[in-house]
Amino acid sequence: YWADLLGLMVWEEMPSAYRFTRNSITRVTEEWIQVIARDSSHPCIIAWVPFNESWGVPDLPDSPAQRHYVQSLYHLTKTLDPTRPVVGNDGWESVATDIIGIHDYDDEPNQIAERYGLRDNASSLFQRERPGGRLLLLDEEGHAGRPVMLTEFGGIALAKDKTKTWGYSSAEDAADFADRYRSLMQVVRALPMLSGFCYTQFTDTYQEANGLLYADRTPKMPIEDISLATQGERQARDLQREYEWRERLMHIQTQQYHVEPRDYQLHAAR
C-alpha cells in the first residue's frame, strides 16, 4: 500500500529454496503462483524475480533439469502476468530473462568503470567477466540487445558496532562512507552499458550493516546528500527526458484504458 502511494518501485523476488528437490520445486511453484495472484494488482511492482543468485538451482551450468525449471517459471510468470518484465535468475547464470541483472560488489569504482564502461564491450563482458565467480549468461541467445542492469552492488558497511555486523566492504566513519558512496555512484550513473541500477542496500537489517540508513531508519549521511549522489545534478536534458516519459506513459494509458487526456488534468487538480 505505502509503496503504491509513495511511488516506491518494487522488484519482487521469491524467497529462495536451498536445494533442488521435487518437494522444493512443488512448493516454490505453488507459492509463486499465489504471490503473483496476491500482488499483481499493485502498480508499484515493476518486475518479477522467481530465482536469485542460483539459490535452489546450484548446478545451472551442468544441469539441464535445473535450467528447464528456471525457464518454466519464467514462462509461467509471463503467462500469469504478461505486463511486467521477468528476471528468471537474478545476479548471474541467466537462462531466461527480459533484463540481464548483474550482482557485482567490487568496491573499486575504477574497476567497475573498466568492466562496464563501453556499450560495445558487452560481448567481452559476458564471455570473460565472472562477478561472484559465476558466468553471467547460460542461454543461447547471449546478450541479444536485452537491457543490462546492476541489480546488486555497493554493499558499503558502516556500523556503530563493528564486532557483530557485516558488509561487502567497510567504511571507517560517516565521512568515509559518504565519500565511498559518492565516488561509486558517480561512476555507475555514467556507465553507458547500464539501463539501470539497484544499490545494496536501503537499510541495515540484522547483521547486514551495508544500508544507506541504519535499521531504525536514521540516515548515515544527510538524506539530501544521498538523493544528490544517487541521481546526480539535475540538468535540462534530465527534465526533458522526464517530460517525454510522462507524455509516453500518458499516451499508453490513453490507448490501453481509453482514458481521455482531460481526465488526467481533473485528477491533477483534485
Side-chain angles (χ1 to χ4, degrees):
Y1 168 78
W2 282 109
D4 291 339
L5 188 65
L6 298 175
L8 180 66
M9 294 184 290
V10 175
W11 185 278
E12 182 148 345
E13 182 179 295
M14 184 65 178
S16 301
Y18 187 70
R19 293 175 179 159
F20 180 70
T21 65
R22 288 184 180 273
N23 186 42
S24 70
I25 293 170
T26 300
R27 290 185 60 184
V28 168
T29 302
E30 290 178 349
E31 292 179 21
W32 184 237
I33 292 172
Q34 295 170 12
V35 165
I36 296 172
R38 182 193 65 193
D39 296 342
S40 60
S41 63
H42 288 281
C44 64
I45 296 172
I46 61 168
W48 299 110
V49 185
F51 294 96
N52 177 65
E53 293 186 347
S54 304
W55 283 96
V57 281
D59 301 313
L60 279 176
D62 303 314
S63 171
Q66 293 184 22
R67 293 197 297 274
H68 293 160
Y69 178 34
V70 175
Q71 291 164 349
S72 68
L73 280 195
Y74 166 84
H75 289 292
L76 175 62
T77 307
K78 298 291 286 186
T79 300
L80 296 174
D81 181 4
T83 69
R84 293 179 173 93
V86 178
V87 181
N89 180 41
D90 194 31
W92 45 64
E93 296 180 341
S94 175
V95 295
T97 192
D98 298 323
I99 299 169
I100 299 174
I102 300 174
H103 297 180
D104 190 337
Y105 286 101
D106 195 323
D107 62 351
E108 292 293 336
N110 290 339
Q111 294 183 20
I112 292 288
E114 182 178 352
R115 189 171 297 130
Y116 305 102
L118 299 176
R119 190 181 299 275
D120 58 2
N121 195 40
S123 59
S124 174
L125 170 70
F126 297 122
Q127 290 173 6
R128 297 193 305 178
E129 296 292 342
R130 301 287 190 277
R134 308 289 189 98
L135 286 167
L136 293 175
L137 293 178
L138 299 179
D139 61 8
E140 296 178 355
E141 295 182 22
H143 178 219
R146 287 172 291 185
V148 178
M149 295 178 60
L150 273 182
T151 49
E152 286 189 25
F153 74 104
I156 305 167
L158 176 63
K160 299 174 183 177
D161 181 2
K162 296 183 179 181
T163 62
K164 299 180 181 179
T165 55
W166 175 87
Y168 290 90
S169 63
S170 297
E172 293 297 325
D173 50 34
D176 184 38
F177 177 83
D179 288 343
R180 286 170 176 252
Y181 184 68
R182 290 192 191 98
S183 298
L184 181 59
M185 294 309 304
Q186 185 176 10
V187 166
V188 170
R189 288 199 321 270
L191 294 174
M193 183 184 294
L194 300 182
S195 298
F197 58 83
C198 182
Y199 183 81
T200 304
Q201 55 198 32
F202 182 51
T203 71
D204 291 354
T205 178
Y206 295 99
Q207 80 278 6
E208 296 184 6
N210 47 18
L212 294 171
L213 281 62
Y214 291 107
D216 64 1
R217 302 316 191 250
T218 303
K220 297 182 180 180
M221 55 191 284
I223 201 73
E224 297 81 7
D225 292 351
I226 294 176
S227 176
L228 181 60
T230 303
Q231 65 181 352
E233 294 282 355
R234 309 294 286 160
Q235 301 180 10
R237 66 181 182 182
D238 299 317
L239 299 176
Q240 178 62 27
R241 287 173 180 172
E242 288 182 3
Y243 172 79
E244 292 172 356
W245 269 107
R246 283 197 299 269
E247 290 297 306
R248 181 179 177 187
L249 289 173
M250 288 178 65
H251 176 73
I252 293 172
Q253 293 279 18
T254 301
Q255 297 297 316
Q256 185 172 356
Y257 299 108
H258 308 290
V259 178
E260 295 296 329
R262 65 173 180 272
D263 291 336
Y264 287 98
Q265 298 172 0
L266 290 173
H267 287 305
R270 290 171 189 164

